Amino acid sequence: MALVAPACTVPYNGTAGSTGDGDNGDRGPCTPQHSPLGTEVLLPCPGGAAEWRRGGTVLGTSPAPGLALPNASLAHEGHYSCHHPVTGETWATICLRLGYPPSPPAIECWATSYPQAVNCSWGLSPEPLLDTDFVATYRHGTDTGECSLTGPRSCSFGDLQVFSLTPYELNVTAWNALGAASRTLPFLLENIVKPDPPESLRVSPIPGEPQKLLVEWSPPSSWPFPEYFPLQYCIRYSWENNSVLTTVGPYELTSHTLTDLEPGSLHHIQVAAKDLADSGEFSAWSPAASGTPWTTADRSPEAAQASHRSPGGFQASHRSPGAGTNTPPPPPLPLLVPPVAAFPRSG
């Protein structure tokens, strides 16, 4: 019967396949062993009955086949060694790493630079806790290609065919020492269009107009061809001491005059963008800019031209209506809610 070892409280400081004394034990070659969390793990020893150590701690003597770790937890990770029970000769050292095989990746794809490129990212649940590699490929009809990694869990590909009724398919395979899993996400290109937020938002008072503000912005710089693929914009705003948000639009121009505003109050304004053909969804909201309508105190030319920006700004977002509609976004969230980006996910 194998010796059953208790969980150790010393965390493992080494890496899989390393040499040395992750638990301050005997130095020497280390054989990596990867095992699933929550299972019984057997650490084999080639010499038969052996004394087992972890670092400088003697765990006991175990007959063949080795040391048993029931219900293994992260506390069991570390550098183990088995020795001749009399002479102390080292027979084997094992670096134990625990985790999970990867689950099928949860994939999301979007096109912020339509029609030049598609960007995708993915996640794993639960986290494997072990070094995990990925390969991502795409298919469009009979055409296939690699989705070039742009980060540990993201990729991008181009050479797109617009207005195609043939879905693209993004396949991601994850693998580690305990196993592999893959998932494919199909999508129509126009359904995942999502611009970045508009940029260079400016808010200016209009001389002689105590209830109006001029709002101007630029298309996102990542949107490559605004003259061929124009955008539409929605605006939302509130004013100080009032948490109620008002959303107006959509508009096709990159400027708009807000009317019927609260005189003398500082207004906080954001803009979101969407493909004019209603493909995909609205962007996240832009960082906020702030401004106060003209007042009788603003009589000098310098004051009339003054504009205000909120320090630091912030972002928020909303889900747009489904593709193919031409209605503004649903009622917005409070201004201090962080951005929530919603993308198509695999089933």
Side-chain angles (χ1 to χ4, degrees), residues 111-117 160 162 193-196 219-231 275:
T112 57
S113 55
Y114 176 84
Q116 285 189 331
L160 305 176
V162 299
V193 174
K194 183 175 182 178
D196 284 326
S221 56
S222 57
W223 193 257
F225 306 115
E227 64 276 19
Y228 300 113
F229 297 93
L231 296 170
D275 177 59

mmCIF file of all heavy atoms in Angstrom, residues 111-117 160 162 193-196 219-231 275:
data_model
loop_
_atom_site.group_PDB
_atom_site.id
_atom_site.type_symbol
_atom_site.label_atom_id
_atom_site.label_comp_id
_atom_site.label_asym_id
_atom_site.label_seq_id
_atom_site.Cartn_x
_atom_site.Cartn_y
_atom_site.Cartn_z
ATOM 1 N N ALA A 111 -15.042 43.538 -35.216
ATOM 2 C CA ALA A 111 -14.320 44.238 -36.289
ATOM 3 C C ALA A 111 -14.350 45.731 -35.998
ATOM 4 O O ALA A 111 -15.304 46.425 -36.342
ATOM 5 C CB ALA A 111 -14.948 43.934 -37.648
ATOM 6 N N THR A 112 -13.296 46.217 -35.337
ATOM 7 C CA THR A 112 -13.208 47.646 -35.040
ATOM 8 C C THR A 112 -12.634 48.434 -36.210
ATOM 9 O O THR A 112 -12.805 49.652 -36.272
ATOM 10 C CB THR A 112 -12.328 47.889 -33.800
ATOM 11 O OG1 THR A 112 -11.038 47.323 -34.033
ATOM 12 C CG2 THR A 112 -12.945 47.251 -32.571
ATOM 13 N N SER A 113 -11.930 47.749 -37.106
ATOM 14 C CA SER A 113 -11.333 48.414 -38.268
ATOM 15 C C SER A 113 -11.933 47.852 -39.554
ATOM 16 O O SER A 113 -11.227 47.608 -40.522
ATOM 17 C CB SER A 113 -9.814 48.268 -38.261
ATOM 18 O OG SER A 113 -9.440 46.899 -38.177
ATOM 19 N N TYR A 114 -13.226 47.593 -39.525
ATOM 20 C CA TYR A 114 -13.951 47.102 -40.691
ATOM 21 C C TYR A 114 -13.708 48.032 -41.874
ATOM 22 O O TYR A 114 -13.762 49.255 -41.722
ATOM 23 C CB TYR A 114 -15.441 47.059 -40.342
ATOM 24 C CG TYR A 114 -16.363 46.669 -41.464
ATOM 25 C CD1 TYR A 114 -16.593 45.340 -41.773
ATOM 26 C CD2 TYR A 114 -17.024 47.649 -42.207
ATOM 27 C CE1 TYR A 114 -17.462 44.989 -42.795
ATOM 28 C CE2 TYR A 114 -17.887 47.305 -43.225
ATOM 29 C CZ TYR A 114 -18.104 45.964 -43.516
ATOM 30 O OH TYR A 114 -18.964 45.626 -44.535
ATOM 31 N N PRO A 115 -13.425 47.477 -43.069
ATOM 32 C CA PRO A 115 -13.396 46.059 -43.431
ATOM 33 C C PRO A 115 -11.982 45.487 -43.525
ATOM 34 O O PRO A 115 -11.748 44.573 -44.309
ATOM 35 C CB PRO A 115 -14.056 46.082 -44.804
ATOM 36 C CG PRO A 115 -13.524 47.354 -45.421
ATOM 37 C CD PRO A 115 -13.374 48.342 -44.282
ATOM 38 N N GLN A 116 -11.052 46.019 -42.750
ATOM 39 C CA GLN A 116 -9.659 45.588 -42.884
ATOM 40 C C GLN A 116 -9.301 44.348 -42.085
ATOM 41 O O GLN A 116 -8.497 43.540 -42.533
ATOM 42 C CB GLN A 116 -8.722 46.737 -42.483
ATOM 43 C CG GLN A 116 -8.607 47.838 -43.513
ATOM 44 C CD GLN A 116 -7.503 48.822 -43.168
ATOM 45 O OE1 GLN A 116 -7.184 49.036 -41.996
ATOM 46 N NE2 GLN A 116 -6.928 49.448 -44.178
ATOM 47 N N ALA A 117 -9.857 44.205 -40.876
ATOM 48 C CA ALA A 117 -9.402 43.119 -40.006
ATOM 49 C C ALA A 117 -10.488 42.706 -39.027
ATOM 50 O O ALA A 117 -11.393 43.480 -38.702
ATOM 51 C CB ALA A 117 -8.148 43.536 -39.238
ATOM 52 N N LEU A 160 -10.375 40.347 -45.871
ATOM 53 C CA LEU A 160 -11.775 40.022 -45.641
ATOM 54 C C LEU A 160 -12.616 40.225 -46.900
ATOM 55 O O LEU A 160 -12.311 41.073 -47.745
ATOM 56 C CB LEU A 160 -12.340 40.880 -44.511
ATOM 57 C CG LEU A 160 -11.570 40.823 -43.186
ATOM 58 C CD1 LEU A 160 -12.166 41.786 -42.190
ATOM 59 C CD2 LEU A 160 -11.547 39.404 -42.644
ATOM 60 N N VAL A 162 -16.220 41.444 -47.849
ATOM 61 C CA VAL A 162 -17.383 42.121 -47.281
ATOM 62 C C VAL A 162 -18.658 41.644 -47.959
ATOM 63 O O VAL A 162 -18.657 41.187 -49.102
ATOM 64 C CB VAL A 162 -17.245 43.653 -47.404
ATOM 65 C CG1 VAL A 162 -16.030 44.137 -46.638
ATOM 66 C CG2 VAL A 162 -17.160 44.073 -48.865
ATOM 67 N N VAL A 193 -19.378 43.930 -36.636
ATOM 68 C CA VAL A 193 -18.797 45.268 -36.763
ATOM 69 C C VAL A 193 -19.057 46.044 -35.472
ATOM 70 O O VAL A 193 -20.194 46.140 -35.004
ATOM 71 C CB VAL A 193 -19.413 46.019 -37.963
ATOM 72 C CG1 VAL A 193 -18.915 47.461 -37.998
ATOM 73 C CG2 VAL A 193 -19.066 45.299 -39.263
ATOM 74 N N LYS A 194 -18.018 46.573 -34.903
ATOM 75 C CA LYS A 194 -18.136 47.379 -33.686
ATOM 76 C C LYS A 194 -17.005 48.401 -33.665
ATOM 77 O O LYS A 194 -15.863 48.072 -33.322
ATOM 78 C CB LYS A 194 -18.078 46.522 -32.429
ATOM 79 C CG LYS A 194 -18.267 47.359 -31.152
ATOM 80 C CD LYS A 194 -18.320 46.506 -29.913
ATOM 81 C CE LYS A 194 -18.564 47.378 -28.684
ATOM 82 N NZ LYS A 194 -18.678 46.591 -27.452
ATOM 83 N N PRO A 195 -17.282 49.649 -34.022
ATOM 84 C CA PRO A 195 -16.211 50.652 -34.041
ATOM 85 C C PRO A 195 -15.666 50.913 -32.640
ATOM 86 O O PRO A 195 -16.299 50.618 -31.630
ATOM 87 C CB PRO A 195 -16.919 51.909 -34.598
ATOM 88 C CG PRO A 195 -18.199 51.420 -35.181
ATOM 89 C CD PRO A 195 -18.581 50.198 -34.425
ATOM 90 N N ASP A 196 -14.458 51.469 -32.612
ATOM 91 C CA ASP A 196 -13.963 52.047 -31.371
ATOM 92 C C ASP A 196 -14.738 53.334 -31.087
ATOM 93 O O ASP A 196 -15.395 53.897 -31.970
ATOM 94 C CB ASP A 196 -12.473 52.342 -31.485
ATOM 95 C CG ASP A 196 -11.633 51.082 -31.372
ATOM 96 O OD1 ASP A 196 -12.028 50.181 -30.614
ATOM 97 O OD2 ASP A 196 -10.582 50.997 -32.041
ATOM 98 N N PRO A 219 -14.234 60.795 -36.063
ATOM 99 C CA PRO A 219 -14.410 59.341 -36.120
ATOM 100 C C PRO A 219 -13.225 58.648 -35.467
ATOM 101 O O PRO A 219 -12.124 59.199 -35.401
ATOM 102 C CB PRO A 219 -14.467 59.046 -37.627
ATOM 103 C CG PRO A 219 -14.772 60.356 -38.279
ATOM 104 C CD PRO A 219 -14.174 61.414 -37.401
ATOM 105 N N PRO A 220 -13.395 57.435 -34.973
ATOM 106 C CA PRO A 220 -12.248 56.715 -34.387
ATOM 107 C C PRO A 220 -11.156 56.519 -35.432
ATOM 108 O O PRO A 220 -11.430 56.180 -36.587
ATOM 109 C CB PRO A 220 -12.856 55.382 -33.939
ATOM 110 C CG PRO A 220 -14.137 55.252 -34.702
ATOM 111 C CD PRO A 220 -14.633 56.636 -34.936
ATOM 112 N N SER A 221 -9.927 56.745 -35.028
ATOM 113 C CA SER A 221 -8.804 56.641 -35.963
ATOM 114 C C SER A 221 -8.616 55.212 -36.470
ATOM 115 O O SER A 221 -8.003 54.996 -37.518
ATOM 116 C CB SER A 221 -7.518 57.128 -35.296
ATOM 117 O OG SER A 221 -7.258 56.407 -34.098
ATOM 118 N N SER A 222 -9.151 54.229 -35.749
ATOM 119 C CA SER A 222 -9.039 52.837 -36.186
ATOM 120 C C SER A 222 -10.051 52.479 -37.277
ATOM 121 O O SER A 222 -9.978 51.387 -37.847
ATOM 122 C CB SER A 222 -9.240 51.897 -34.992
ATOM 123 O OG SER A 222 -10.492 52.138 -34.369
ATOM 124 N N TRP A 223 -10.991 53.377 -37.566
ATOM 125 C CA TRP A 223 -11.980 53.134 -38.620
ATOM 126 C C TRP A 223 -11.377 53.621 -39.930
ATOM 127 O O TRP A 223 -11.256 54.807 -40.165
ATOM 128 C CB TRP A 223 -13.265 53.875 -38.300
ATOM 129 C CG TRP A 223 -14.443 53.478 -39.128
ATOM 130 C CD1 TRP A 223 -14.980 54.178 -40.172
ATOM 131 C CD2 TRP A 223 -15.257 52.318 -38.975
ATOM 132 N NE1 TRP A 223 -16.070 53.526 -40.688
ATOM 133 C CE2 TRP A 223 -16.263 52.361 -39.967
ATOM 134 C CE3 TRP A 223 -15.221 51.220 -38.104
ATOM 135 C CZ2 TRP A 223 -17.226 51.368 -40.098
ATOM 136 C CZ3 TRP A 223 -16.177 50.242 -38.239
ATOM 137 C CH2 TRP A 223 -17.162 50.315 -39.222
ATOM 138 N N PRO A 224 -10.973 52.716 -40.833
ATOM 139 C CA PRO A 224 -10.050 53.105 -41.909
ATOM 140 C C PRO A 224 -10.660 53.925 -43.045
ATOM 141 O O PRO A 224 -9.973 54.748 -43.628
ATOM 142 C CB PRO A 224 -9.526 51.763 -42.429
ATOM 143 C CG PRO A 224 -10.590 50.779 -42.092
ATOM 144 C CD PRO A 224 -11.224 51.262 -40.819
ATOM 145 N N PHE A 225 -11.934 53.715 -43.356
ATOM 146 C CA PHE A 225 -12.501 54.351 -44.556
ATOM 147 C C PHE A 225 -13.847 55.004 -44.243
ATOM 148 O O PHE A 225 -14.892 54.555 -44.725
ATOM 149 C CB PHE A 225 -12.671 53.328 -45.678
ATOM 150 C CG PHE A 225 -11.429 52.567 -46.011
ATOM 151 C CD1 PHE A 225 -11.356 51.193 -45.797
ATOM 152 C CD2 PHE A 225 -10.310 53.230 -46.524
ATOM 153 C CE1 PHE A 225 -10.209 50.489 -46.106
ATOM 154 C CE2 PHE A 225 -9.152 52.529 -46.830
ATOM 155 C CZ PHE A 225 -9.095 51.159 -46.617
ATOM 156 N N PRO A 226 -13.853 56.066 -43.447
ATOM 157 C CA PRO A 226 -15.149 56.681 -43.088
ATOM 158 C C PRO A 226 -15.877 57.272 -44.280
ATOM 159 O O PRO A 226 -17.098 57.432 -44.234
ATOM 160 C CB PRO A 226 -14.749 57.759 -42.074
ATOM 161 C CG PRO A 226 -13.302 58.027 -42.321
ATOM 162 C CD PRO A 226 -12.723 56.739 -42.785
ATOM 163 N N GLU A 227 -15.134 57.599 -45.357
ATOM 164 C CA GLU A 227 -15.812 58.155 -46.528
ATOM 165 C C GLU A 227 -16.575 57.074 -47.300
ATOM 166 O O GLU A 227 -17.585 57.374 -47.965
ATOM 167 C CB GLU A 227 -14.802 58.853 -47.449
ATOM 168 C CG GLU A 227 -13.747 57.954 -48.067
ATOM 169 C CD GLU A 227 -12.549 57.710 -47.163
ATOM 170 O OE1 GLU A 227 -12.663 57.926 -45.941
ATOM 171 O OE2 GLU A 227 -11.495 57.301 -47.689
ATOM 172 N N TYR A 228 -16.123 55.827 -47.232
ATOM 173 C CA TYR A 228 -16.799 54.732 -47.926
ATOM 174 C C TYR A 228 -17.714 53.941 -46.995
ATOM 175 O O TYR A 228 -18.702 53.345 -47.443
ATOM 176 C CB TYR A 228 -15.774 53.781 -48.551
ATOM 177 C CG TYR A 228 -14.883 54.454 -49.555
ATOM 178 C CD1 TYR A 228 -13.518 54.613 -49.302
ATOM 179 C CD2 TYR A 228 -15.385 54.959 -50.752
ATOM 180 C CE1 TYR A 228 -12.686 55.246 -50.215
ATOM 181 C CE2 TYR A 228 -14.555 55.587 -51.670
ATOM 182 C CZ TYR A 228 -13.213 55.723 -51.398
ATOM 183 O OH TYR A 228 -12.390 56.354 -52.307
ATOM 184 N N PHE A 229 -17.364 53.874 -45.732
ATOM 185 C CA PHE A 229 -18.184 53.192 -44.739
ATOM 186 C C PHE A 229 -18.488 54.195 -43.612
ATOM 187 O O PHE A 229 -17.874 54.148 -42.549
ATOM 188 C CB PHE A 229 -17.458 51.960 -44.194
ATOM 189 C CG PHE A 229 -17.176 50.915 -45.239
ATOM 190 C CD1 PHE A 229 -15.963 50.903 -45.913
ATOM 191 C CD2 PHE A 229 -18.130 49.960 -45.552
ATOM 192 C CE1 PHE A 229 -15.708 49.940 -46.875
ATOM 193 C CE2 PHE A 229 -17.869 48.996 -46.517
ATOM 194 C CZ PHE A 229 -16.670 48.988 -47.190
ATOM 195 N N PRO A 230 -19.407 55.116 -43.860
ATOM 196 C CA PRO A 230 -19.673 56.180 -42.881
ATOM 197 C C PRO A 230 -20.289 55.624 -41.596
ATOM 198 O O PRO A 230 -20.826 54.506 -41.561
ATOM 199 C CB PRO A 230 -20.640 57.103 -43.619
ATOM 200 C CG PRO A 230 -21.268 56.252 -44.665
ATOM 201 C CD PRO A 230 -20.233 55.244 -45.064
ATOM 202 N N LEU A 231 -20.187 56.440 -40.573
ATOM 203 C CA LEU A 231 -20.697 56.081 -39.253
ATOM 204 C C LEU A 231 -21.893 56.943 -38.883
ATOM 205 O O LEU A 231 -22.076 58.043 -39.406
ATOM 206 C CB LEU A 231 -19.596 56.245 -38.197
ATOM 207 C CG LEU A 231 -18.381 55.343 -38.329
ATOM 208 C CD1 LEU A 231 -17.286 55.801 -37.371
ATOM 209 C CD2 LEU A 231 -18.744 53.884 -38.066
ATOM 210 N N ASP A 275 -21.807 51.654 -37.419
ATOM 211 C CA ASP A 275 -21.836 51.655 -38.883
ATOM 212 C C ASP A 275 -23.164 52.216 -39.374
ATOM 213 O O ASP A 275 -24.230 51.866 -38.861
ATOM 214 C CB ASP A 275 -21.638 50.229 -39.396
ATOM 215 C CG ASP A 275 -21.738 50.141 -40.905
ATOM 216 O OD1 ASP A 275 -20.941 50.809 -41.589
ATOM 217 O OD2 ASP A 275 -22.626 49.416 -41.393
#
